[in-house]
Amino acid sequence: LFGIPQSISKRIFSGDKYDKVKKVYSISLFYCDFGTGDDYVYVGQTKFTGMNTGTELVVKQKVRNEIIPVLPQKVFPEYFLVKVNKFDKIPMNALDEWMEYLKTGRIKDDTTAPGLQAARKKLQYLKMSKEERDAYDRHIDNIMVQNDVLDNAKEEGREEGLVQSREEGREEKSIEIARNLLRMGMDIDSVAKATGLTQDYIRSL
């Protein structure tokens, strides 16, 4: 109960419009007996029902200059109560695989459940000794430094390539101008001064 208003209030500031509020999904894990239901996951939503008519409240919301009806449960928090100890079956889907992990701490090698492979890596890290964790962190730092060096080298190489391309382009333009001036009958000395090319190079043209 405490966590949900905290989740909302930390994401909206004084003066903000209420459309800034994001829908909250609250997931509570219980490793003890909680209630008497026979399922292991329970979902609860906020619904408003008329005391006299029994009709459900529908809120109108403006979206892109259009007024549309919205049920309160689309906006208000949604609650998931997970009774971990109640899970006692062979995993058949992604949720079951998560339940098995929460209950036993085991993750199948071939799991395809979203997030479980990342959880496995995190668990492996947390199980390391302090020395192993420090060594792993240094290894990751070294990889990041190497990647940074490679990225910088690639960027410098691209810049050098652009500079070289521009210089080659200017030289080709000068050669083309020199040829045109020679065709017009201009002397080699004048062509050299006009293009910046050496007299020997101009003679070779």
Side-chain angles (χ1 to χ4, degrees):
L1 288 175
F2 176 78
I4 287 179
Q6 287 287 309
S7 297
I8 295 172
S9 64
K10 285 179 179 177
R11 287 165 178 77
I12 191 167
F13 300 95
S14 178
D16 282 349
K17 292 182 178 181
Y18 282 95
D19 61 4
K20 299 284 186 185
V21 176
K22 303 297 183 185
K23 179 178 172 68
V24 175
Y25 293 88
S26 171
I27 302 173
S28 299
L29 305 177
F30 295 95
Y31 286 87
C32 58
D33 289 332
F34 183 80
T36 57
D38 59 357
D39 205 332
Y40 52 89
V41 179
Y42 289 84
V43 182
Q45 296 177 316
T46 305
K47 295 174 68 175
F48 297 96
T49 307
M51 289 181 63
N52 300 304
T53 63
T55 57
E56 190 173 346
L57 175 68
V58 176
V59 181
K60 291 184 177 179
Q61 187 180 46
K62 189 174 182 181
V63 178
R64 294 179 183 171
N65 297 321
E66 183 181 355
I67 303 297
I68 60 172
V70 178
L71 293 172
Q73 53 263 42
K74 296 289 186 181
V75 179
F76 281 80
E78 195 165 333
Y79 303 82
F80 291 81
L81 306 181
V82 181
K83 298 167 69 175
V84 177
N85 293 341
K86 194 74 178 176
F87 180 78
D88 60 355
K89 64 176 190 175
I90 297 172
M92 302 295 291
N93 52 44
L95 176 59
D96 289 352
E97 289 188 34
W98 268 101
M99 291 301 301
E100 183 178 48
Y101 159 62
L102 292 171
K103 186 173 183 178
T104 66
R106 293 193 300 268
I107 301 174
K108 294 193 303 182
D109 291 336
D110 60 347
T111 183
T112 57
L116 271 184
Q117 292 291 5
R120 183 204 307 281
K121 290 178 181 177
K122 189 67 175 177
L123 275 175
Q124 290 171 342
Y125 177 79
L126 292 174
K127 287 179 181 177
M128 292 179 185
S129 67
K130 185 179 184 307
E131 292 76 17
E132 291 171 332
R133 202 177 301 175
D134 289 344
Y136 178 79
D137 289 340
R138 285 194 299 272
H139 170 67
I140 295 298
D141 286 344
N142 289 337
I143 289 175
M144 291 176 68
V145 169
Q146 287 174 6
N147 288 340
D148 192 42
V149 169
L150 288 172
D151 287 343
N152 286 338
K154 288 177 184 176
E155 188 62 34
E156 289 171 2
R158 278 194 292 269
E159 290 177 2
E160 288 176 6
L162 288 171
V163 170
Q164 185 175 350
S165 296
R166 284 196 293 266
E167 289 176 350
E168 289 173 354
R170 280 195 294 267
E171 186 176 355
E172 287 175 5
K173 189 69 177 175
S174 297
I175 293 170
E176 184 182 345
I177 292 170
R179 285 195 174 115
N180 289 334
L181 294 175
L182 289 171
R183 287 192 197 101
M184 294 167 60
M186 186 177 286
D187 63 275
I188 290 176
D189 184 52
S190 298
V191 173
K193 289 177 181 176
T195 61
L197 299 172
T198 64
Q199 292 188 13
D200 289 339
Y201 189 85
I202 293 170
R203 287 190 188 92
S204 70
L205 298 175

PDB file of all heavy atoms in Angstrom, residues 85-120:
ATOM      1  N   ASN A  85       4.980 -19.958  -2.549  1.00  0.00           N
ATOM      2  CA  ASN A  85       4.969 -21.321  -2.004  1.00  0.00           C
ATOM      3  C   ASN A  85       3.819 -22.160  -2.537  1.00  0.00           C
ATOM      4  O   ASN A  85       3.839 -23.386  -2.418  1.00  0.00           O
ATOM      5  CB  ASN A  85       4.904 -21.283  -0.473  1.00  0.00           C
ATOM      6  CG  ASN A  85       6.179 -20.713   0.127  1.00  0.00           C
ATOM      7  OD1 ASN A  85       7.208 -20.682  -0.535  1.00  0.00           O
ATOM      8  ND2 ASN A  85       6.117 -20.261   1.368  1.00  0.00           N
ATOM      9  N   LYS A  86       2.826 -21.506  -3.139  1.00  0.00           N
ATOM     10  CA  LYS A  86       1.669 -22.228  -3.665  1.00  0.00           C
ATOM     11  C   LYS A  86       1.983 -22.881  -5.013  1.00  0.00           C
ATOM     12  O   LYS A  86       1.280 -23.786  -5.448  1.00  0.00           O
ATOM     13  CB  LYS A  86       0.500 -21.248  -3.828  1.00  0.00           C
ATOM     14  CG  LYS A  86      -0.840 -21.887  -4.036  1.00  0.00           C
ATOM     15  CD  LYS A  86      -1.378 -22.504  -2.753  1.00  0.00           C
ATOM     16  CE  LYS A  86      -2.757 -23.101  -2.971  1.00  0.00           C
ATOM     17  NZ  LYS A  86      -3.243 -23.781  -1.766  1.00  0.00           N
ATOM     18  N   PHE A  87       3.057 -22.437  -5.652  1.00  0.00           N
ATOM     19  CA  PHE A  87       3.412 -22.981  -6.967  1.00  0.00           C
ATOM     20  C   PHE A  87       4.008 -24.370  -6.802  1.00  0.00           C
ATOM     21  O   PHE A  87       5.001 -24.555  -6.106  1.00  0.00           O
ATOM     22  CB  PHE A  87       4.419 -22.059  -7.666  1.00  0.00           C
ATOM     23  CG  PHE A  87       4.841 -22.549  -9.024  1.00  0.00           C
ATOM     24  CD1 PHE A  87       4.005 -22.389 -10.115  1.00  0.00           C
ATOM     25  CD2 PHE A  87       6.055 -23.192  -9.206  1.00  0.00           C
ATOM     26  CE1 PHE A  87       4.382 -22.845 -11.373  1.00  0.00           C
ATOM     27  CE2 PHE A  87       6.435 -23.649 -10.454  1.00  0.00           C
ATOM     28  CZ  PHE A  87       5.597 -23.475 -11.539  1.00  0.00           C
ATOM     29  N   ASP A  88       3.383 -25.376  -7.459  1.00  0.00           N
ATOM     30  CA  ASP A  88       3.868 -26.746  -7.297  1.00  0.00           C
ATOM     31  C   ASP A  88       3.647 -27.572  -8.563  1.00  0.00           C
ATOM     32  O   ASP A  88       3.202 -28.710  -8.509  1.00  0.00           O
ATOM     33  CB  ASP A  88       3.185 -27.424  -6.107  1.00  0.00           C
ATOM     34  CG  ASP A  88       1.669 -27.498  -6.273  1.00  0.00           C
ATOM     35  OD1 ASP A  88       1.160 -26.930  -7.261  1.00  0.00           O
ATOM     36  OD2 ASP A  88       1.018 -28.127  -5.430  1.00  0.00           O
ATOM     37  N   LYS A  89       3.953 -26.986  -9.728  1.00  0.00           N
ATOM     38  CA  LYS A  89       3.745 -27.734 -10.958  1.00  0.00           C
ATOM     39  C   LYS A  89       4.952 -27.591 -11.876  1.00  0.00           C
ATOM     40  O   LYS A  89       5.858 -26.782 -11.630  1.00  0.00           O
ATOM     41  CB  LYS A  89       2.474 -27.263 -11.657  1.00  0.00           C
ATOM     42  CG  LYS A  89       2.508 -25.818 -12.137  1.00  0.00           C
ATOM     43  CD  LYS A  89       1.231 -25.495 -12.907  1.00  0.00           C
ATOM     44  CE  LYS A  89       1.327 -24.159 -13.610  1.00  0.00           C
ATOM     45  NZ  LYS A  89       0.156 -23.888 -14.450  1.00  0.00           N
ATOM     46  N   ILE A  90       4.959 -28.382 -12.939  1.00  0.00           N
ATOM     47  CA  ILE A  90       6.029 -28.306 -13.929  1.00  0.00           C
ATOM     48  C   ILE A  90       5.818 -27.040 -14.761  1.00  0.00           C
ATOM     49  O   ILE A  90       4.710 -26.793 -15.250  1.00  0.00           O
ATOM     50  CB  ILE A  90       6.017 -29.542 -14.847  1.00  0.00           C
ATOM     51  CG1 ILE A  90       6.287 -30.804 -14.019  1.00  0.00           C
ATOM     52  CG2 ILE A  90       7.055 -29.404 -15.967  1.00  0.00           C
ATOM     53  CD1 ILE A  90       6.115 -32.091 -14.789  1.00  0.00           C
ATOM     54  N   PRO A  91       6.852 -26.219 -14.927  1.00  0.00           N
ATOM     55  CA  PRO A  91       6.694 -24.978 -15.698  1.00  0.00           C
ATOM     56  C   PRO A  91       6.236 -25.239 -17.127  1.00  0.00           C
ATOM     57  O   PRO A  91       6.820 -26.061 -17.827  1.00  0.00           O
ATOM     58  CB  PRO A  91       8.097 -24.361 -15.676  1.00  0.00           C
ATOM     59  CG  PRO A  91       8.750 -24.959 -14.476  1.00  0.00           C
ATOM     60  CD  PRO A  91       8.200 -26.347 -14.366  1.00  0.00           C
ATOM     61  N   MET A  92       5.187 -24.539 -17.527  1.00  0.00           N
ATOM     62  CA  MET A  92       4.624 -24.695 -18.868  1.00  0.00           C
ATOM     63  C   MET A  92       4.722 -23.418 -19.695  1.00  0.00           C
ATOM     64  O   MET A  92       4.521 -23.443 -20.898  1.00  0.00           O
ATOM     65  CB  MET A  92       3.152 -25.133 -18.783  1.00  0.00           C
ATOM     66  CG  MET A  92       2.931 -26.423 -18.022  1.00  0.00           C
ATOM     67  SD  MET A  92       3.676 -27.849 -18.835  1.00  0.00           S
ATOM     68  CE  MET A  92       2.636 -27.986 -20.279  1.00  0.00           C
ATOM     69  N   ASN A  93       5.017 -22.303 -19.044  1.00  0.00           N
ATOM     70  CA  ASN A  93       5.082 -21.031 -19.765  1.00  0.00           C
ATOM     71  C   ASN A  93       6.072 -20.112 -19.049  1.00  0.00           C
ATOM     72  O   ASN A  93       6.682 -20.498 -18.045  1.00  0.00           O
ATOM     73  CB  ASN A  93       3.693 -20.385 -19.868  1.00  0.00           C
ATOM     74  CG  ASN A  93       3.017 -20.271 -18.508  1.00  0.00           C
ATOM     75  OD1 ASN A  93       3.646 -19.874 -17.521  1.00  0.00           O
ATOM     76  ND2 ASN A  93       1.740 -20.609 -18.441  1.00  0.00           N
ATOM     77  N   ALA A  94       6.218 -18.897 -19.562  1.00  0.00           N
ATOM     78  CA  ALA A  94       7.216 -17.956 -19.015  1.00  0.00           C
ATOM     79  C   ALA A  94       6.909 -17.615 -17.558  1.00  0.00           C
ATOM     80  O   ALA A  94       7.821 -17.543 -16.724  1.00  0.00           O
ATOM     81  CB  ALA A  94       7.239 -16.691 -19.869  1.00  0.00           C
ATOM     82  N   LEU A  95       5.621 -17.410 -17.240  1.00  0.00           N
ATOM     83  CA  LEU A  95       5.258 -17.089 -15.849  1.00  0.00           C
ATOM     84  C   LEU A  95       5.630 -18.238 -14.918  1.00  0.00           C
ATOM     85  O   LEU A  95       6.180 -18.022 -13.825  1.00  0.00           O
ATOM     86  CB  LEU A  95       3.764 -16.788 -15.759  1.00  0.00           C
ATOM     87  CG  LEU A  95       3.233 -16.522 -14.340  1.00  0.00           C
ATOM     88  CD1 LEU A  95       3.941 -15.332 -13.701  1.00  0.00           C
ATOM     89  CD2 LEU A  95       1.726 -16.292 -14.367  1.00  0.00           C
ATOM     90  N   ASP A  96       5.351 -19.482 -15.358  1.00  0.00           N
ATOM     91  CA  ASP A  96       5.697 -20.646 -14.539  1.00  0.00           C
ATOM     92  C   ASP A  96       7.206 -20.731 -14.303  1.00  0.00           C
ATOM     93  O   ASP A  96       7.652 -21.095 -13.210  1.00  0.00           O
ATOM     94  CB  ASP A  96       5.217 -21.933 -15.221  1.00  0.00           C
ATOM     95  CG  ASP A  96       3.701 -22.072 -15.180  1.00  0.00           C
ATOM     96  OD1 ASP A  96       3.052 -21.257 -14.501  1.00  0.00           O
ATOM     97  OD2 ASP A  96       3.176 -22.987 -15.837  1.00  0.00           O
ATOM     98  N   GLU A  97       7.987 -20.413 -15.336  1.00  0.00           N
ATOM     99  CA  GLU A  97       9.446 -20.458 -15.184  1.00  0.00           C
ATOM    100  C   GLU A  97       9.916 -19.442 -14.149  1.00  0.00           C
ATOM    101  O   GLU A  97      10.821 -19.708 -13.360  1.00  0.00           O
ATOM    102  CB  GLU A  97      10.123 -20.220 -16.532  1.00  0.00           C
ATOM    103  CG  GLU A  97       9.973 -21.392 -17.497  1.00  0.00           C
ATOM    104  CD  GLU A  97      10.814 -21.222 -18.753  1.00  0.00           C
ATOM    105  OE1 GLU A  97      11.910 -20.638 -18.652  1.00  0.00           O
ATOM    106  OE2 GLU A  97      10.371 -21.661 -19.826  1.00  0.00           O
ATOM    107  N   TRP A  98       9.298 -18.267 -14.164  1.00  0.00           N
ATOM    108  CA  TRP A  98       9.618 -17.260 -13.151  1.00  0.00           C
ATOM    109  C   TRP A  98       9.216 -17.755 -11.758  1.00  0.00           C
ATOM    110  O   TRP A  98       9.944 -17.555 -10.784  1.00  0.00           O
ATOM    111  CB  TRP A  98       8.924 -15.937 -13.469  1.00  0.00           C
ATOM    112  CG  TRP A  98       9.778 -15.022 -14.279  1.00  0.00           C
ATOM    113  CD1 TRP A  98       9.711 -14.794 -15.612  1.00  0.00           C
ATOM    114  CD2 TRP A  98      10.841 -14.189 -13.792  1.00  0.00           C
ATOM    115  NE1 TRP A  98      10.677 -13.887 -16.007  1.00  0.00           N
ATOM    116  CE2 TRP A  98      11.381 -13.496 -14.902  1.00  0.00           C
ATOM    117  CE3 TRP A  98      11.400 -13.970 -12.533  1.00  0.00           C
ATOM    118  CZ2 TRP A  98      12.439 -12.602 -14.784  1.00  0.00           C
ATOM    119  CZ3 TRP A  98      12.461 -13.080 -12.416  1.00  0.00           C
ATOM    120  CH2 TRP A  98      12.968 -12.410 -13.538  1.00  0.00           C
ATOM    121  N   MET A  99       8.059 -18.407 -11.667  1.00  0.00           N
ATOM    122  CA  MET A  99       7.594 -18.921 -10.377  1.00  0.00           C
ATOM    123  C   MET A  99       8.571 -19.969  -9.843  1.00  0.00           C
ATOM    124  O   MET A  99       8.898 -19.982  -8.650  1.00  0.00           O
ATOM    125  CB  MET A  99       6.199 -19.531 -10.528  1.00  0.00           C
ATOM    126  CG  MET A  99       5.087 -18.527 -10.803  1.00  0.00           C
ATOM    127  SD  MET A  99       4.908 -17.272  -9.507  1.00  0.00           S
ATOM    128  CE  MET A  99       4.578 -18.292  -8.067  1.00  0.00           C
ATOM    129  N   GLU A 100       9.037 -20.872 -10.730  1.00  0.00           N
ATOM    130  CA  GLU A 100       9.993 -21.888 -10.299  1.00  0.00           C
ATOM    131  C   GLU A 100      11.281 -21.237  -9.807  1.00  0.00           C
ATOM    132  O   GLU A 100      11.850 -21.661  -8.789  1.00  0.00           O
ATOM    133  CB  GLU A 100      10.296 -22.843 -11.449  1.00  0.00           C
ATOM    134  CG  GLU A 100      11.233 -23.980 -11.032  1.00  0.00           C
ATOM    135  CD  GLU A 100      11.507 -24.955 -12.150  1.00  0.00           C
ATOM    136  OE1 GLU A 100      11.833 -24.495 -13.266  1.00  0.00           O
ATOM    137  OE2 GLU A 100      11.404 -26.168 -11.910  1.00  0.00           O
ATOM    138  N   TYR A 101      11.730 -20.199 -10.507  1.00  0.00           N
ATOM    139  CA  TYR A 101      12.945 -19.490 -10.074  1.00  0.00           C
ATOM    140  C   TYR A 101      12.738 -18.840  -8.708  1.00  0.00           C
ATOM    141  O   TYR A 101      13.583 -18.939  -7.813  1.00  0.00           O
ATOM    142  CB  TYR A 101      13.338 -18.448 -11.109  1.00  0.00           C
ATOM    143  CG  TYR A 101      14.224 -17.365 -10.558  1.00  0.00           C
ATOM    144  CD1 TYR A 101      15.483 -17.658 -10.047  1.00  0.00           C
ATOM    145  CD2 TYR A 101      13.789 -16.040 -10.515  1.00  0.00           C
ATOM    146  CE1 TYR A 101      16.291 -16.663  -9.519  1.00  0.00           C
ATOM    147  CE2 TYR A 101      14.588 -15.054  -9.983  1.00  0.00           C
ATOM    148  CZ  TYR A 101      15.838 -15.359  -9.490  1.00  0.00           C
ATOM    149  OH  TYR A 101      16.629 -14.383  -8.960  1.00  0.00           O
ATOM    150  N   LEU A 102      11.580 -18.172  -8.526  1.00  0.00           N
ATOM    151  CA  LEU A 102      11.313 -17.489  -7.251  1.00  0.00           C
ATOM    152  C   LEU A 102      11.230 -18.481  -6.089  1.00  0.00           C
ATOM    153  O   LEU A 102      11.599 -18.162  -4.963  1.00  0.00           O
ATOM    154  CB  LEU A 102      10.011 -16.691  -7.345  1.00  0.00           C
ATOM    155  CG  LEU A 102      10.036 -15.474  -8.273  1.00  0.00           C
ATOM    156  CD1 LEU A 102       8.644 -14.908  -8.457  1.00  0.00           C
ATOM    157  CD2 LEU A 102      10.979 -14.402  -7.730  1.00  0.00           C
ATOM    158  N   LYS A 103      10.752 -19.699  -6.396  1.00  0.00           N
ATOM    159  CA  LYS A 103      10.591 -20.689  -5.335  1.00  0.00           C
ATOM    160  C   LYS A 103      11.864 -21.474  -5.053  1.00  0.00           C
ATOM    161  O   LYS A 103      12.201 -21.748  -3.904  1.00  0.00           O
ATOM    162  CB  LYS A 103       9.465 -21.657  -5.697  1.00  0.00           C
ATOM    163  CG  LYS A 103       9.139 -22.644  -4.577  1.00  0.00           C
ATOM    164  CD  LYS A 103       7.908 -23.465  -4.892  1.00  0.00           C
ATOM    165  CE  LYS A 103       7.568 -24.394  -3.731  1.00  0.00           C
ATOM    166  NZ  LYS A 103       6.329 -25.171  -4.003  1.00  0.00           N
ATOM    167  N   THR A 104      12.600 -21.834  -6.137  1.00  0.00           N
ATOM    168  CA  THR A 104      13.749 -22.731  -5.961  1.00  0.00           C
ATOM    169  C   THR A 104      15.096 -22.068  -6.200  1.00  0.00           C
ATOM    170  O   THR A 104      16.134 -22.609  -5.804  1.00  0.00           O
ATOM    171  CB  THR A 104      13.641 -23.927  -6.935  1.00  0.00           C
ATOM    172  OG1 THR A 104      13.765 -23.432  -8.288  1.00  0.00           O
ATOM    173  CG2 THR A 104      12.283 -24.626  -6.784  1.00  0.00           C
ATOM    174  N   GLY A 105      15.092 -20.911  -6.899  1.00  0.00           N
ATOM    175  CA  GLY A 105      16.353 -20.257  -7.241  1.00  0.00           C
ATOM    176  C   GLY A 105      17.007 -20.871  -8.459  1.00  0.00           C
ATOM    177  O   GLY A 105      18.125 -20.493  -8.822  1.00  0.00           O
ATOM    178  N   ARG A 106      16.327 -21.847  -9.113  1.00  0.00           N
ATOM    179  CA  ARG A 106      16.886 -22.504 -10.288  1.00  0.00           C
ATOM    180  C   ARG A 106      16.338 -21.879 -11.567  1.00  0.00           C
ATOM    181  O   ARG A 106      15.164 -21.523 -11.646  1.00  0.00           O
ATOM    182  CB  ARG A 106      16.560 -24.000 -10.275  1.00  0.00           C
ATOM    183  CG  ARG A 106      17.239 -24.771  -9.155  1.00  0.00           C
ATOM    184  CD  ARG A 106      17.131 -26.275  -9.400  1.00  0.00           C
ATOM    185  NE  ARG A 106      15.735 -26.703  -9.451  1.00  0.00           N
ATOM    186  CZ  ARG A 106      15.055 -27.134  -8.398  1.00  0.00           C
ATOM    187  NH1 ARG A 106      15.634 -27.186  -7.206  1.00  0.00           N
ATOM    188  NH2 ARG A 106      13.808 -27.519  -8.532  1.00  0.00           N
ATOM    189  N   ILE A 107      17.205 -21.785 -12.582  1.00  0.00           N
ATOM    190  CA  ILE A 107      16.815 -21.277 -13.900  1.00  0.00           C
ATOM    191  C   ILE A 107      17.272 -22.286 -14.938  1.00  0.00           C
ATOM    192  O   ILE A 107      18.449 -22.659 -14.974  1.00  0.00           O
ATOM    193  CB  ILE A 107      17.458 -19.905 -14.195  1.00  0.00           C
ATOM    194  CG1 ILE A 107      17.044 -18.877 -13.135  1.00  0.00           C
ATOM    195  CG2 ILE A 107      17.062 -19.410 -15.583  1.00  0.00           C
ATOM    196  CD1 ILE A 107      17.743 -17.538 -13.268  1.00  0.00           C
ATOM    197  N   LYS A 108      16.347 -22.734 -15.798  1.00  0.00           N
ATOM    198  CA  LYS A 108      16.704 -23.702 -16.834  1.00  0.00           C
ATOM    199  C   LYS A 108      17.691 -23.089 -17.820  1.00  0.00           C
ATOM    200  O   LYS A 108      17.592 -21.914 -18.151  1.00  0.00           O
ATOM    201  CB  LYS A 108      15.446 -24.158 -17.587  1.00  0.00           C
ATOM    202  CG  LYS A 108      14.465 -24.954 -16.743  1.00  0.00           C
ATOM    203  CD  LYS A 108      13.412 -25.635 -17.615  1.00  0.00           C
ATOM    204  CE  LYS A 108      12.657 -24.648 -18.463  1.00  0.00           C
ATOM    205  NZ  LYS A 108      11.601 -25.303 -19.286  1.00  0.00           N
ATOM    206  N   ASP A 109      18.636 -23.920 -18.288  1.00  0.00           N
ATOM    207  CA  ASP A 109      19.637 -23.437 -19.241  1.00  0.00           C
ATOM    208  C   ASP A 109      18.999 -22.935 -20.533  1.00  0.00           C
ATOM    209  O   ASP A 109      19.496 -21.993 -21.151  1.00  0.00           O
ATOM    210  CB  ASP A 109      20.650 -24.549 -19.568  1.00  0.00           C
ATOM    211  CG  ASP A 109      21.532 -24.882 -18.371  1.00  0.00           C
ATOM    212  OD1 ASP A 109      21.685 -24.004 -17.497  1.00  0.00           O
ATOM    213  OD2 ASP A 109      22.045 -26.010 -18.317  1.00  0.00           O
ATOM    214  N   ASP A 110      17.914 -23.586 -20.944  1.00  0.00           N
ATOM    215  CA  ASP A 110      17.280 -23.233 -22.219  1.00  0.00           C
ATOM    216  C   ASP A 110      16.066 -22.329 -22.053  1.00  0.00           C
ATOM    217  O   ASP A 110      15.206 -22.254 -22.921  1.00  0.00           O
ATOM    218  CB  ASP A 110      16.868 -24.502 -22.972  1.00  0.00           C
ATOM    219  CG  ASP A 110      15.870 -25.352 -22.160  1.00  0.00           C
ATOM    220  OD1 ASP A 110      15.714 -25.070 -20.951  1.00  0.00           O
ATOM    221  OD2 ASP A 110      15.265 -26.279 -22.737  1.00  0.00           O
ATOM    222  N   THR A 111      15.988 -21.638 -20.934  1.00  0.00           N
ATOM    223  CA  THR A 111      14.815 -20.797 -20.697  1.00  0.00           C
ATOM    224  C   THR A 111      14.684 -19.699 -21.754  1.00  0.00           C
ATOM    225  O   THR A 111      15.675 -19.143 -22.221  1.00  0.00           O
ATOM    226  CB  THR A 111      14.872 -20.139 -19.307  1.00  0.00           C
ATOM    227  OG1 THR A 111      13.673 -19.372 -19.099  1.00  0.00           O
ATOM    228  CG2 THR A 111      16.058 -19.194 -19.181  1.00  0.00           C
ATOM    229  N   THR A 112      13.450 -19.436 -22.132  1.00  0.00           N
ATOM    230  CA  THR A 112      13.165 -18.336 -23.066  1.00  0.00           C
ATOM    231  C   THR A 112      12.307 -17.271 -22.389  1.00  0.00           C
ATOM    232  O   THR A 112      11.877 -16.325 -23.048  1.00  0.00           O
ATOM    233  CB  THR A 112      12.429 -18.859 -24.310  1.00  0.00           C
ATOM    234  OG1 THR A 112      11.229 -19.537 -23.907  1.00  0.00           O
ATOM    235  CG2 THR A 112      13.301 -19.823 -25.101  1.00  0.00           C
ATOM    236  N   ALA A 113      12.066 -17.431 -21.095  1.00  0.00           N
ATOM    237  CA  ALA A 113      11.245 -16.458 -20.374  1.00  0.00           C
ATOM    238  C   ALA A 113      11.946 -15.104 -20.347  1.00  0.00           C
ATOM    239  O   ALA A 113      13.128 -15.027 -19.997  1.00  0.00           O
ATOM    240  CB  ALA A 113      10.987 -16.940 -18.947  1.00  0.00           C
ATOM    241  N   PRO A 114      11.258 -14.035 -20.730  1.00  0.00           N
ATOM    242  CA  PRO A 114      11.878 -12.702 -20.743  1.00  0.00           C
ATOM    243  C   PRO A 114      12.473 -12.343 -19.380  1.00  0.00           C
ATOM    244  O   PRO A 114      11.815 -12.459 -18.349  1.00  0.00           O
ATOM    245  CB  PRO A 114      10.706 -11.778 -21.089  1.00  0.00           C
ATOM    246  CG  PRO A 114       9.723 -12.650 -21.799  1.00  0.00           C
ATOM    247  CD  PRO A 114       9.856 -14.001 -21.163  1.00  0.00           C
ATOM    248  N   GLY A 115      13.751 -11.950 -19.399  1.00  0.00           N
ATOM    249  CA  GLY A 115      14.390 -11.466 -18.181  1.00  0.00           C
ATOM    250  C   GLY A 115      15.136 -12.513 -17.385  1.00  0.00           C
ATOM    251  O   GLY A 115      16.003 -12.175 -16.571  1.00  0.00           O
ATOM    252  N   LEU A 116      14.843 -13.795 -17.607  1.00  0.00           N
ATOM    253  CA  LEU A 116      15.471 -14.817 -16.767  1.00  0.00           C
ATOM    254  C   LEU A 116      16.956 -15.022 -17.076  1.00  0.00           C
ATOM    255  O   LEU A 116      17.744 -15.291 -16.177  1.00  0.00           O
ATOM    256  CB  LEU A 116      14.734 -16.152 -16.902  1.00  0.00           C
ATOM    257  CG  LEU A 116      13.566 -16.362 -15.928  1.00  0.00           C
ATOM    258  CD1 LEU A 116      12.977 -17.749 -16.081  1.00  0.00           C
ATOM    259  CD2 LEU A 116      13.985 -16.131 -14.487  1.00  0.00           C
ATOM    260  N   GLN A 117      17.348 -14.896 -18.344  1.00  0.00           N
ATOM    261  CA  GLN A 117      18.775 -15.010 -18.659  1.00  0.00           C
ATOM    262  C   GLN A 117      19.555 -13.872 -18.007  1.00  0.00           C
ATOM    263  O   GLN A 117      20.665 -14.069 -17.500  1.00  0.00           O
ATOM    264  CB  GLN A 117      18.998 -15.015 -20.181  1.00  0.00           C
ATOM    265  CG  GLN A 117      18.469 -16.260 -20.893  1.00  0.00           C
ATOM    266  CD  GLN A 117      19.262 -17.514 -20.562  1.00  0.00           C
ATOM    267  OE1 GLN A 117      20.164 -17.506 -19.729  1.00  0.00           O
ATOM    268  NE2 GLN A 117      18.922 -18.619 -21.214  1.00  0.00           N
ATOM    269  N   ALA A 118      18.951 -12.666 -18.010  1.00  0.00           N
ATOM    270  CA  ALA A 118      19.597 -11.526 -17.334  1.00  0.00           C
ATOM    271  C   ALA A 118      19.667 -11.777 -15.832  1.00  0.00           C
ATOM    272  O   ALA A 118      20.661 -11.445 -15.178  1.00  0.00           O
ATOM    273  CB  ALA A 118      18.822 -10.243 -17.626  1.00  0.00           C
ATOM    274  N   ALA A 119      18.609 -12.393 -15.278  1.00  0.00           N
ATOM    275  CA  ALA A 119      18.605 -12.716 -13.846  1.00  0.00           C
ATOM    276  C   ALA A 119      19.696 -13.730 -13.526  1.00  0.00           C
ATOM    277  O   ALA A 119      20.353 -13.646 -12.485  1.00  0.00           O
ATOM    278  CB  ALA A 119      17.233 -13.262 -13.445  1.00  0.00           C
ATOM    279  N   ARG A 120      19.911 -14.700 -14.445  1.00  0.00           N
ATOM    280  CA  ARG A 120      20.955 -15.702 -14.234  1.00  0.00           C
ATOM    281  C   ARG A 120      22.334 -15.034 -14.128  1.00  0.00           C
ATOM    282  O   ARG A 120      23.127 -15.330 -13.242  1.00  0.00           O
ATOM    283  CB  ARG A 120      20.952 -16.719 -15.374  1.00  0.00           C
ATOM    284  CG  ARG A 120      21.969 -17.843 -15.182  1.00  0.00           C
ATOM    285  CD  ARG A 120      22.370 -18.473 -16.508  1.00  0.00           C
ATOM    286  NE  ARG A 120      21.234 -18.897 -17.279  1.00  0.00           N
ATOM    287  CZ  ARG A 120      20.570 -20.032 -17.046  1.00  0.00           C
ATOM    288  NH1 ARG A 120      20.925 -20.813 -16.055  1.00  0.00           N
ATOM    289  NH2 ARG A 120      19.534 -20.354 -17.804  1.00  0.00           N
TER     290      ARG A 120
END
